[in-house]
Amino acid sequence: MVYTKSITAFDEAYEVIPGGVDSPVRAFSGVEGTPPFIDYGKGGHLFDIDGNQYIDFVQSWGPLIFGHCDKDIEASVIQAVQRGLSFGAPTTVETELACEIVSLFDSIDKVRFVSSGTEAVMSAIRLARGVTERDNIIKFKGCYHGHSDSLLVAGGSGLATFGTPSSPGVPADLTKHTLLATYNDIASVEQCFADAQGEVACVIIEPIAGNMGLVPADESFLEQIRVLCDRHGALLIFDEVMSGFRASLQGAQGISSVKPDMVTLGKVIGAGMPVGAFGASKAIMSHLSPEGPVYQAGTLSGNPVAMSAGLKSLQKLKAQPSLYVELAAKAKRLVEGFQEAASAVNVPMVTEVRGSMFGFFFSDKVVKNMEDADANDTKMFAKFHKGMLDRGVYLACSSYETGFICTATSDEMIEEAIFCAFETMKEITA
Ligand SMILES: *Cc1c(COP(=O)(O)O)cnc(C)c1O
C-alpha cells in the first residue's frame, strides 16, 4: 500500500497539533509506520486519503456498532441538525434517550448526559464522594476511566498501594486518594479497604476490561467486590463506557448478575457523536445539582444532535434481540482464525470475545490482569499490525486495545481478515 498523502498529512499536522493527533493512541507510537488519514467510512470499511481501503475493526474505538454512515442514524442526525445544533435548553429527545437507558438497566433510575466518557466518570466519582462524604476511591491497574486527575493513575510498580500520578501535571495530593488494586484479585481489594480504614467512597471497575486488551472480570470476583462494598458502605461503579451496548444490550450487566450502584456510559450511546452519561438510583442521583448539592454542568450536555444519534442507535439495537449473538459468532470466528494463523507458524496466542468486542494477545498465558497483559509480545504485535494494515485490515494500533465488529462486518470480511492473518504470520516469522 502507498501511504504518501497520509505521511505528508501527518507531517503537516505535527507542525500545529502535538504529536499530530488529538488523542495519543492515534499516533501509531507502539506500531510501525504512520497513521493513515481517513477520508471517509462506509459500512464496515474505512478509506484513507491515498485511496486505500481497509476492513475496520476499530469502529472509532467502539461507538459505531452499526458501522459507518448507517442510513437510519444519518437520517435522524440530519433531521436534528436542521432544527438547530444546540440550544442550552431542555429538549424532549434527552428524556427519550434517558427512558431507553432507564428501561434497559435495573441499576439506573435516573441518568445525566455529558459530552464524553471522561466527563461521565469524573462526574460519577464526584457524586460518589459527595454521597458518601468520603475521599478515597479504589481503581484497578490496567482499567482506564478517562483522563481526569484522580483517575489518571497506573501505578506500575505494584508496591505502592496509594496512587502516584502517571502524568506530570497531576498533583500527588489528588491521586493520593486513589488506591490501586489488582484485577481479578480480591485479596488486593481487601487490602485497599484495610489501608483506607474502610473510608472508601467507591470502587470503580470496568466489569469487562477493554483497555488492557479484552480482559473480563470473573463473576465470583465481581460478587466479592459487591460484598466488600456493602460491608464498608462504599458505592460500586461499573464503568461501561466501552462495554455498554457492546458486550450485550446491557453491557456487562446483561451477562453478570452483580448489580452496581452507579453506571457510566459513553461510546455506543452517542453512535459516533460526543456523548457520555452516568446513572444510578433515584436516591443517589438526588444528590446531584440542581436537586442536590453535588455540582456538575455542561454547555453542550444532552446536545440534541448527539442525543438523536444515540436514540436511533439504541432503538435499532433493541429491535434486534439476536444481534449480539450474531456479532459474537463473527467475532469468535475472527479471533479463532487469527489463532489458527498464529499456531500455523508456532506462535502462541490467547483470545477473548464478549459480544461485539474481541481481544487477542501474542502470549501463551491466559490474561487475568495488567501484569499478565504486560507479558504479551508487543514486538510481534507491531509486526502483525503492520502486515495486516498493508493488506487492508485496520486493527487498533496497540496490543492493549479491544477490537470491534459492527453489523456491517460481513462474513466475507471476516474470512478476508483471517486470510490476511495467515499471510502476515507467514511473512513476519519467515
Ligand atoms: C473510552 C473510555 C473512557 C473515556 O471515554 P472518552 O469518551 O474517551 O472520554 C472511560 N472509560 C472507559 C471504560 C472507556 O473505554
Side-chain angles (χ1 to χ4, degrees):
M1 287 223 187
V2 176
Y3 301 104
T4 324
K5 286 183 182 164
S6 282
I7 291 167
T8 305
F10 194 46
D11 287 343
E12 286 169 1
Y14 211 92
E15 291 298 315
V16 285
I17 298 173
V21 291
D22 282 312
S23 194
V25 291
R26 298 176 196 167
F28 272 39
S29 310
V31 293
E32 297 169 21
T34 55
F37 273 54
I38 306 306
D39 187 13
Y40 65 98
K42 192 164 187 282
H45 285 108
L46 273 183
F47 298 82
D48 72 13
I49 57 175
D50 285 288
N52 301 314
Q53 175 180 327
Y54 309 93
I55 302 169
D56 183 8
F57 290 117
V58 179
Q59 297 293 332
S60 188
W61 304 91
L64 309 178
I65 199 161
F66 292 104
H68 300 278
C69 303
D70 175 82
K71 285 289 160 236
D72 302 320
I73 296 170
E74 196 177 271
S76 68
V77 165
I78 289 167
Q79 277 172 25
V81 165
Q82 288 168 340
R83 288 192 294 271
L85 293 181
S86 175
F87 312 111
T91 55
T92 53
V93 66
E94 293 160 70
T95 315
E96 281 182 79
L97 184 55
C99 285
E100 293 289 354
I101 291 167
V102 168
S103 74
L104 284 172
F105 289 86
D106 292 347
S107 46
I108 301 179
D109 296 331
K110 287 192 175 185
V111 60
R112 170 70 55 89
F113 292 109
V114 292
S115 301
S116 69
T118 294
E119 224 187 324
V121 182
M122 180 186 82
S123 309
I125 296 282
R126 182 180 304 149
L127 183 56
R129 284 172 162 160
V131 169
T132 57
E133 299 182 340
R134 294 171 177 179
D135 291 337
N136 297 315
I137 63 174
I138 298 176
K139 87 170 274 288
F140 295 88
K141 284 173 245 169
C143 282
Y144 179 66
H145 302 293
H147 67 92
S148 71
D149 285 348
S150 307
L151 292 159
L152 207 57
V153 185
S157 87
L159 279 172
T161 313
F162 283 87
T164 46
S166 60
S167 163
V170 178
D173 278 348
L174 287 177
T175 54
K176 74 178 183 195
H177 293 295
T178 306
L179 290 83
L180 285 173
T182 304
Y183 206 73
N184 281 320
D185 174 4
I186 198 65
S188 73
V189 187
E190 280 168 350
Q191 187 59 51
C192 286
F193 273 107
D195 290 342
Q197 291 161 348
E199 287 291 300
V200 173
C202 63
V203 174
I204 182 159
I205 186 167
E206 287 180 75
I208 297 171
N211 289 288
M212 51 174 147
L214 181 58
V215 183
D218 296 331
E219 178 70 1
S220 62
F221 177 63
L222 293 177
E223 284 167 3
Q224 288 168 306
I225 292 177
R226 181 69 271 178
V227 170
L228 283 177
C229 283
D230 291 342
R231 185 180 303 156
H232 295 284
L235 299 176
L236 175 57
I237 306 178
F238 276 5
D239 182 355
E240 298 229 50
V241 168
M242 185 190 290
S243 54
F245 316 104
R246 265 289 173 191
S248 81
L249 190 55
Q250 294 86 3
Q253 293 165 77
I255 298 170
S256 163
S257 64
V258 177
K259 292 286 165 260
D261 300 298
M262 302 174 76
V263 182
T264 54
L265 297 166
K267 297 191 171 113
V268 172
I269 50 163
M273 298 291 290
V275 183
F278 59 105
S281 64
K282 272 191 185 123
I284 290 174
M285 294 306 275
S286 71
H287 290 258
L288 198 64
S289 187
E291 269 185 70
V294 179
Y295 196 69
Q296 186 278 328
T299 302
L300 295 175
S301 292
N303 173 270
V305 182
M307 296 286 104
S308 301
L311 179 63
K312 180 53 76 182
S313 180
L314 293 206
Q315 285 169 341
K316 279 170 68 93
L317 289 172
K318 275 172 91 172
Q320 303 173 59
S322 64
L323 192 88
Y324 289 93
V325 179
E326 291 159 21
L327 288 169
K330 280 183 192 167
K332 201 150 180 292
R333 169 73 190 124
L334 180 71
V335 288
E336 279 171 4
F338 282 6
Q339 207 165 23
E340 284 160 21
S343 69
V345 287
N346 292 316
V347 171
M349 179 185 278
V350 290
T351 64
E352 274 289 358
V353 166
R354 284 294 181 280
S356 60
M357 306 163 73
F358 70 85
F360 61 94
F361 284 110
F362 287 106
S363 175
D364 53 8
K365 142 172 186 194
V366 177
V367 175
K368 287 288 184 187
N369 57 42
M370 189 60 192
E371 208 179 290
D372 297 342
D374 276 335
N376 90 88
D377 187 345
T378 52
K379 287 204 184 77
M380 180 68 79
F381 176 83
K383 285 185 202 152
F384 182 69
H385 180 273
K386 174 72 175 145
M388 293 296 272
L389 190 77
D390 287 345
R391 289 171 175 82
V393 181
Y394 190 83
L395 294 167
C397 52
S398 157
S399 59
Y400 297 97
E401 300 289 352
T402 294
F404 300 99
I405 300 283
C406 71
T407 56
T409 312
S410 66
D411 290 331
E412 291 70 37
M413 291 182 204
I414 300 278
E415 295 309 320
E416 191 183 327
I418 293 170
F419 175 78
C420 293
F422 271 89
E423 297 286 298
T424 299
M425 289 310 299
K426 255 184 275 168
E427 178 191 73
I428 64 181
T429 55

